[in-house]
Amino acid sequence: MEKLGRFEVVILMFLGLVLGSTHGDLQMNFYAKSCPKAEKIVLDYVNKHIPNSPSLAAAFIRMHFHDCFVRETLTYARYSIPNNYDHATSAHRHCMGCDASVLLNTTSSTGNQTEKFAPPNQTLRGFDFIDRVKSLLEAECPGVVSCADIVTLVARDSIVVTGGPFWKVPTGRRDGVISNASEALAQLPAPFSNFTTLQSDFANKGLDLKDLVLLSGAHTIGISHCTSFTNRLYNFTGIGDQDPALDSEYAANLKANKCRSINSTTIVEMDPGSVKTFDLSYYTLVLKRRGLFQSDSALSTDSRTRSFITQLLNGSLKNFFQEFAEAMEKMGRIGVKTVSSGEIRKHCAVVNS
């Protein structure tokens, strides 16, 4: 290869800095020196309050998922260098990802609605819990611990205290300053997604089909409102029909006892009979055509995801926990901001003035 010119070397160095600051620099015990009690403060608060409201564990893992899945997008300006190698520098960045942008309130100064108010996020809850944890950390170490790390730690600790798997949470995330409802609506996987759409949604975040199956496993402790799936019961193709992929007995039970109308807002367990236990029963239901959402049902329509579900069911709960932990660690790195990107918000619901 010919020697690179000075301008081209600068381009490559800049690219490395951009990608490095976007995806790297998380580390275990990031706050060991700057706020040594940080993770214990989070854990103690979770251990004190979540056992009294165990359903919040599912709410927090959903909040974490919804925060990470509206990720940052890089638009590149390309520069050509010798031997037809193309390299790029970042020309534009949307500050999204695991950056607590889902916590931001809409203000008159932003001129747009934030992610929190997008239809998929209107049933999120637990924001006040995050605010209370943040206030404790601000009292201990002002301006040090990010809201993004708080969401990630609270999600993990809440799952653990309710009997679910433990996963490593490297910290050092910083908080985003941009949040748009339209982007949340466009990027969050919908409960009515088919397999092709789900595969694309996850691939866009650097996640594969194994991650899709494993992260869907969080539905083992989840609840839903009827509005997220009543089309499967009453109007699947727009002619008043029922989704043929949904077990008819299960559908009849939902119609009779839960969702008696299309507009019902009744709460329904995603894993009936096992909603309080983080286990493999969700996957059993999926293979029995009793997954609540179309997105659940979609996992059984592809031979690869169906095969992996079968492997999980033939394995141990310990194995599932290990696999789930790896997928959560991977998800927690999507689009993170570190070093000098973003900020450390003083209040999680508003950017710093």
Side-chain angles (χ1 to χ4, degrees):
M1 183 187 294
E2 297 176 23
K3 290 184 178 180
L4 302 182
R6 180 181 299 177
F7 175 73
E8 293 150 347
V9 170
V10 170
I11 292 294
L12 293 177
M13 290 174 64
F14 180 75
L15 175 61
L17 288 172
V18 169
L19 296 181
S21 65
T22 303
H23 301 292
D25 300 308
L26 295 182
Q27 62 188 61
M28 296 303 294
N29 301 312
F30 176 83
Y31 299 107
K33 292 183 178 179
S34 59
C35 191
K37 295 181 181 178
E39 293 192 27
K40 187 177 187 302
I41 288 172
V42 176
L43 179 61
D44 287 350
Y45 193 82
V46 166
N47 286 345
K48 181 178 180 180
H49 294 284
I50 292 298
N52 299 323
S53 303
S55 65
L56 276 175
F60 285 131
I61 202 169
R62 182 170 180 246
M63 179 188 289
H64 180 33
F65 181 93
H66 281 217
D67 184 40
C68 290
F69 250 68
V70 185
R71 69 171 292 181
E72 102 174 342
T73 301
L74 296 180
T75 304
Y76 294 113
R78 293 200 167 273
Y79 295 85
S80 182
I81 63 174
N83 289 359
N84 297 317
Y85 283 87
D86 281 338
H87 291 269
T89 60
S90 175
H92 186 67
R93 298 169 68 182
H94 294 294
C95 297
M96 303 290 164
C98 304
D99 65 352
S101 53
V102 74
L103 305 180
L104 288 171
N105 286 335
T106 298
T107 64
S108 57
S109 61
T110 62
N112 65 276
Q113 282 197 317
T114 56
E115 292 173 43
K116 186 186 289 189
F117 300 95
N121 289 334
Q122 289 176 6
T123 52
L124 291 181
R125 60 195 183 97
F127 296 107
D128 55 337
F129 189 102
I130 299 295
D131 289 339
R132 289 196 293 272
V133 174
K134 175 64 171 175
S135 67
L136 292 174
L137 290 167
E138 284 296 301
E140 177 72 17
C141 314
V144 173
V145 183
S146 70
C147 299
D149 278 339
I150 292 172
V151 170
T152 310
L153 288 166
V154 166
R156 190 273 309 277
D157 292 347
S158 297
I159 294 297
V160 172
V161 78
T162 53
F166 173 92
W167 62 92
K168 295 176 183 176
V169 177
T171 44
R173 296 166 188 78
R174 290 170 64 84
D175 300 323
V177 296
I178 297 174
S179 182
N180 294 309
S182 59
E183 291 177 336
L185 183 60
Q187 295 183 39
L188 287 171
F192 47 80
S193 295
N194 61 25
F195 178 80
T196 302
T197 301
L198 288 172
Q199 183 178 18
S200 175
D201 286 345
F202 274 66
N204 288 340
K205 302 343 179 240
L207 301 174
D208 57 27
L209 293 181
K210 185 176 179 181
D211 298 317
L212 167 60
V213 171
L214 289 164
L215 294 174
S216 296
H219 287 180
T220 184
I221 57 168
I223 57 173
S224 174
H225 293 87
C226 291
T227 47
S228 295
F229 61 88
T230 44
N231 66 307
R232 301 189 75 193
L233 301 177
Y234 297 105
N235 199 28
F236 187 61
T237 63
I239 57 172
D241 55 340
Q242 183 174 297
D243 182 358
L246 185 63
D247 176 75
S248 57
E249 184 179 337
Y250 181 43
N253 179 270
L254 287 170
K255 286 181 177 179
N257 300 311
K258 295 291 184 179
C259 306
R260 295 190 178 92
S261 69
I262 294 177
N263 296 318
S264 173
T265 56
T266 303
I267 291 174
V268 180
E269 297 174 353
M270 287 191 244
D271 187 1
S274 184
V275 71
K276 295 181 180 180
T277 307
F278 207 105
D279 56 22
L280 289 159
S281 61
Y282 160 79
Y283 296 114
T284 300
L285 293 176
V286 168
L287 295 189
K288 288 183 175 180
R289 301 169 58 233
R290 293 192 171 198
L292 196 60
F293 303 140
Q294 281 175 255
S295 58
D296 296 322
S297 176
L299 300 180
S300 67
T301 64
D302 182 86
S303 61
R304 294 162 294 179
T305 49
R306 188 181 182 92
S307 174
F308 187 60
I309 289 174
T310 301
Q311 289 178 41
L312 288 172
L313 289 172
N314 289 335
S316 65
L317 185 62
K318 180 181 179 181
N319 175 70
F320 169 49
F321 276 21
Q322 291 174 340
E323 299 262 29
F324 183 83
E326 291 176 8
M328 287 301 300
E329 290 171 33
K330 191 174 177 182
M331 189 191 80
R333 293 180 177 273
I334 296 175
V336 295
K337 286 150 196 66
T338 59
V339 187
S340 59
S341 300
E343 64 181 18
I344 304 298
R345 284 186 224 142
K346 297 175 183 176
H347 304 283
C348 288
V350 294
V351 298
N352 296 338
S353 56

